[in-house]
Amino acid sequence: QVQLVESGGGLVQAGGSLRLSCAASGSFFSINAMGWYRQAPGKQRELVAAITSGGSTNYADSVKGRFTFSSDNAKNTVYLQMNSLKPEDTAVYYCYTRARIRVGVYHDYWGQGTQVTVSS
């Protein structure tokens, strides 16, 4: 069982910055992957950025050069630094993790989501 705690959402003006945080806690052997997804009103949920335990990071084309994904493995926490925000970045952002619960057993978990609103 894994609990994801998100923070950092809010309302900012275009061109501003926000940093999202997501901490994983609970009973698990390890975190295999963590990432951020977002869903705008009337649109499908999409991948924003993700990182594996091996350190491989992937970004959506729409955020490359503006968003930076980082992790603190000791704290089981990941961050999403969002710079040069645009109105089209407005969405609910969800933290995701794939955790090893016990040997050979993996489960996916989602945070509750945090609202990011960028005004023009």
Side-chain angles (χ1 to χ4, degrees):
Q1 182 66 34
V2 177
Q3 181 180 15
L4 300 177
V5 180
E6 301 166 316
S7 63
L11 192 157
V12 297
Q13 294 182 344
S17 299
L18 285 173
R19 189 176 80 155
L20 305 183
S21 300
C22 177
S25 62
S27 299
F28 54 89
F29 286 161
S30 63
I31 298 296
N32 283 51
M34 295 192 75
W36 290 97
Y37 290 72
R38 68 185 181 186
Q39 187 168 19
K43 301 183 68 176
Q44 295 181 319
R45 186 174 299 185
E46 64 175 348
L47 172 70
V48 178
I51 188 169
T52 67
S53 60
S56 178
T57 304
N58 296 302
Y59 296 92
D61 289 341
S62 60
V63 306
K64 287 182 179 178
R66 299 188 298 119
F67 291 8
T68 302
F69 194 110
S70 62
S71 64
D72 184 338
N73 293 333
K75 297 181 179 179
N76 290 318
T77 300
V78 296
Y79 307 91
L80 185 67
Q81 179 66 47
M82 305 184 294
N83 298 326
S84 301
L85 284 162
K86 304 174 181 179
E88 50 263 44
D89 294 318
T90 296
V92 177
Y93 284 69
Y94 297 90
C95 183
Y96 159 85
T97 187
R98 181 173 176 84
R100 177 181 290 176
I101 305 303
R102 53 183 180 270
V103 175
V105 180
Y106 301 84
H107 290 298
D108 297 332
Y109 298 90
W110 293 89
Q112 293 180 309
T114 183
Q115 178 70 46
V116 172
T117 302
V118 184
S119 62
S120 60

